[in-house]
Amino acid sequence: MSADLVPETRVLAVASHVVYGHVGNKMATLVMQSLGCDVAALNTVHFSNHTGYRQFKGTRATAEEIRNLYEGLCMSNLTDFDVMLSGYAPSAAAVEAVGSIGQDLQRKAAARPGSFFWVLDPVMGDQGRLYVNDDVVPAYKNIVQYADLILPNQFEAEVLSGIQITSLQTLAKAITTLHATYKIPHVIITSVQLSKLSPSQENPSPNSTQNLLTVIGSTTLSSGKPRLFRIDVPAIDCFFSGTGDMFAALTVARLREAVFADRNPDLRNTKSWVSGDDVRPTELPLAKATEKVLASMHNVLEKTNEARDVELAATAPASGGSEEVQKKEHLRRTKAGEIRLVRNVRFLREPTVEFKAKEWEGDY
Amino acid sequence: MSADLVPETRVLAVASHVVYGHVGNKMATLVMQSLGCDVAALNTVHFSNHTGYRQFKGTRATAEEIRNLYEGLCMSNLTDFDVMLSGYAPSAAAVEAVGSIGQDLQRKAAARPGSFFWVLDPVMGDQGRLYVNDDVVPAYKNIVQYADLILPNQFEAEVLSGIQITSLQTLAKAITTLHATYKIPHVIITSVQLSKLSPSQENPSPNSTQNLLTVIGSTTLSSGKPRLFRIDVPAIDCFFSGTGDMFAALTVARLREAVFADRNPDLRNTKSWVSGDDVRPTELPLAKATEKVLASMHNVLEKTNEARDVELAATAPASGGSEEVQKKEHLRRTKAGEIRLVRNVRFLREPTVEFKAKEWEGDY
């Protein structure tokens, strides 16, 4: 076995498929496979490209089709998954179907604590805006209680917790609420731009001129209270579709790796992989995993940004101001911004951790 | 760039998707990505698992859905493919849809010879038996003329050429006919068990007690006649689903690599990458590519066979003779025979060529 692979892991990944580019399962599958995971990919939509292009063709799977594919796996005894990663589902009924799959896998693993772990990315929206139907929100609120780890972005954390995040205090309160309301063992809020929060709460980094992206994570204490860590990484000044899916997929592989490498050999046989109360936030497998995840992401996005600039410089910009020209230019820029994954997998396999987890106590 | 990656290659892969295991696009995508290709995956079916299990759930894409996904790519200028790899399509109309996609990409590339290459795997059947509807055969006969390379197995070569392969002579005649009838520049017949051909034509290998699998390839001469090579590899005594898809995907990557490394730097700008008549069969990029392809496959299938034996020894066989028990045992053995790919990608990236192409003249 190569040293750069994580322990053998069978993953059921439930998310969207696009023909072109890397988002959803098209991203998650390759990321996890690159780290040595065996990935079963149950695709919830079949689109030509991601929606950032503002146009696409394709079809959505119905809830029945999703249940049916899972039923096919059950029929042939193909459900020996160690982890489920669930992402975008195209309707409330589809979210329910995904929820019932997760619960069924949990039931099957109930006699062997820690043998199955569900990572749920509650894909609902971003930047203050829902991009799913309203009824998807209560559907997620019904199923997140079954997940072991959820990965909301700032907006999704607000939606699930009911708390508007305007400061470090409200951020901590939102995580506390997520642990308490849904009994979720692990939470990572995947993108908080603290510089956009109220000035008095601004990021205390000495290099305050550079935008930092902050990732906040927590594994619950036995009291139900959060055990918080934060990692700050320099933000790359460009929006790339699929970063959330990349984060989730890397987290699956790296968390399992960290749990298997934990100084407590029984952690992997502990329900939901929750470390004892004596483990400091920065020593949590979740924190160690997130450090590697962010290192890989930072490297790949840097390479993507460079390649994007080269591609944009090499292709002629559409000139003129007509609607048709503007659309063409948007398509050109969106294509140039596709995450460059296949030729950068070495950064997934061999991350150089530069940004370390810090404890975050006394702030809340 | 890593030394173990092939030149940058954008591939449109059109084939089946399975949630669990590695066949069709689920195999081809990972194989090509592992070698550094950027793969757009247009899935023609969405099944829970491969049909070797004798049961599955899922849906087939209609011809309209396939055309529609491609139309989505066209709309957003996402058709800058270097290669198309087309595999299983679930109906005659779907085969026609795939054919029109290939032709459209050829038209788009017509001004730049060699800039687009179509590898077509005419998936129709095996071992003397069709596993598609009868009307799929004429659908393939209509489109193979547009392909640059076709990869039939022995049975599919018989179907397309109308010649029954019972000897080395009839095998050579079938390839001659494929070149002549369909004007196909390159042909590889992916599995011929010469030991099953008539005794007088048997494989002349000194190690005649071991079953050999023979792969026969040819790149046409300017006269239209074949330029034949053969590679013999020890057969692994087990059937694995997805080997054809693995072969096709490896061939895409390795052929492009060989063409880019050819001593004729203009070959890559030559229509269909057909080498000049002075190039010996064993010096063809197709022959060099096939050597690497077979090396990788042999290694991965050896590892698969070992892992299969371990898995079968570790899981209890279903005992008893009832139909239900026999079915369970079939499922267990089929699952154990899934190709072990994710943790063996090093064999894809760094093949050790042991089985060399040999010229095959004077035999026909």
Side-chain angles (χ1 to χ4, degrees), chain A residues 71-106:
Chain A
E71 173 60 25
L73 300 181
C74 292
M75 270 167 41
S76 295
N77 310 321
L78 303 175
T79 57
D80 53 345
F81 300 113
D82 305 302
V83 180
M84 170 157 122
L85 171 60
S86 63
Y88 180 74
S91 67
V95 170
E96 281 167 29
V98 173
S100 66
I101 293 171
Q103 287 174 69
D104 189 58
L105 290 170
Q106 275 173 336

Side-chain angles (χ1 to χ4, degrees), chain B residues 212-257:
Chain B
L212 290 180
L213 203 72
T214 300
V215 173
I216 308 279
S218 168
T219 295
T220 188
L221 290 160
S222 59
S223 63
K225 290 214 175 342
R227 177 165 25 180
L228 291 161
F229 63 88
R230 65 182 279 178
I231 307 179
D232 299 311
V233 290
I236 290 174
D237 189 26
C238 183
F239 176 78
F240 301 108
S241 292
T243 51
D245 308 305
M246 190 177 173
F247 186 97
L250 284 166
T251 300
V252 164
R254 292 303 179 193
L255 179 56
R256 201 166 133 93
E257 177 187 53

Side-chain angles (χ1 to χ4, degrees), chain B residues 127-309:
Chain B
Q127 313 277 341
R129 202 175 59 82
L130 275 186
Y131 42 59
V132 294
N133 280 342
D134 288 348
D135 60 354
V136 169
V137 175
Y140 268 119
K141 286 187 173 174
N142 281 334
I143 71 164
V144 289
Q145 62 186 300
Y146 301 106
D148 298 295
L149 163 61
I150 62 169
L151 305 170
N153 58 32
Q154 182 175 339
F155 172 68
E156 290 156 347
E158 291 177 337
V159 169
L160 289 175
S161 68
I163 291 166
Q164 220 191 324
I165 297 169
T166 56
S167 62
L168 287 175
Q169 279 77 1
T170 47
L171 178 56
K173 200 173 158 199
I175 293 179
T176 305
T177 304
L178 290 173
H179 280 313
T181 309
Y182 303 101
K183 306 278 177 276
I184 302 173
H186 310 269
V187 177
I188 301 176
I189 301 187
T190 54
S191 58
V192 185
Q193 275 204 281
L194 292 178
S195 58
K196 291 191 179 161
L197 300 183
S198 57
S200 65
Q201 312 299 341
E202 241 176 47
N203 192 298
S205 156
N207 183 7
S208 61
T209 53
Q210 172 153 43
N211 259 338
L212 290 180
L213 203 72
T214 300
V215 173
I216 308 279
S218 168
T219 295
T220 188
L221 290 160
S222 59
S223 63
K225 290 214 175 342
R227 177 165 25 180
L228 291 161
F229 63 88
R230 65 182 279 178
I231 307 179
D232 299 311
V233 290
I236 290 174
D237 189 26
C238 183
F239 176 78
F240 301 108
S241 292
T243 51
D245 308 305
M246 190 177 173
F247 186 97
L250 284 166
T251 300
V252 164
R254 292 303 179 193
L255 179 56
R256 201 166 133 93
E257 177 187 53
V259 166
F260 273 63
D262 197 73
R263 64 190 160 92
N264 173 8
D266 284 335
L267 183 60
R268 72 181 79 169
N269 304 318
T270 304
K271 186 176 179 309
S272 298
W273 303 341
V274 176
S275 301
D277 286 353
D278 58 317
V279 177
R280 307 290 313 160
T282 53
E283 294 304 311
L284 289 170
L286 193 67
K288 292 181 181 173
T290 308
E291 286 174 346
K292 286 195 179 181
V293 168
L294 290 173
S296 289
M297 288 196 62
H298 188 71
N299 288 334
V300 171
L301 294 182
E302 263 185 341
K303 291 288 170 193
T304 298
N305 212 28
E306 288 166 23
R308 175 180 167 275
D309 290 347

Side-chain angles (χ1 to χ4, degrees), chain A residues 338-353:
Chain A
E338 287 276 3
I339 295 177
R340 304 304 197 281
L341 199 57
V342 280
R343 301 186 82 88
N344 291 312
V345 290
R346 66 189 181 282
F347 297 117
L348 304 185
R349 289 178 168 225
E350 291 151 16
T352 309
V353 173

Side-chain angles (χ1 to χ4, degrees), chain A residues 6 8 10 17 19-20 22 26 36-41 43 55 57 68 73 75-76 80 335 342-343, chain B residues 6 8 10 17 19-20 22 26 36-41 43 48 55 57 68 75-76 80 335 342-343:
Chain A
V6 301
E8 289 200 27
R10 291 175 191 260
H17 175 78
V19 175
Y20 191 97
H22 294 100
K26 186 84 176 299
C37 303
D38 214 324
V39 182
N43 297 330
Q55 56 182 15
K57 298 256 187 178
N68 211 31
L73 300 181
M75 270 167 41
S76 295
D80 53 345
K335 179 173 186 290
V342 280
R343 301 186 82 88
Chain B
V6 301
E8 288 199 27
R10 291 174 192 261
H17 175 78
V19 175
Y20 191 97
H22 293 100
K26 185 84 177 300
C37 302
D38 214 323
V39 182
N43 298 330
S48 54
Q55 56 182 16
K57 299 258 187 176
N68 211 32
M75 271 168 40
S76 295
D80 54 344
K335 179 173 186 290
V342 279
R343 301 186 82 87

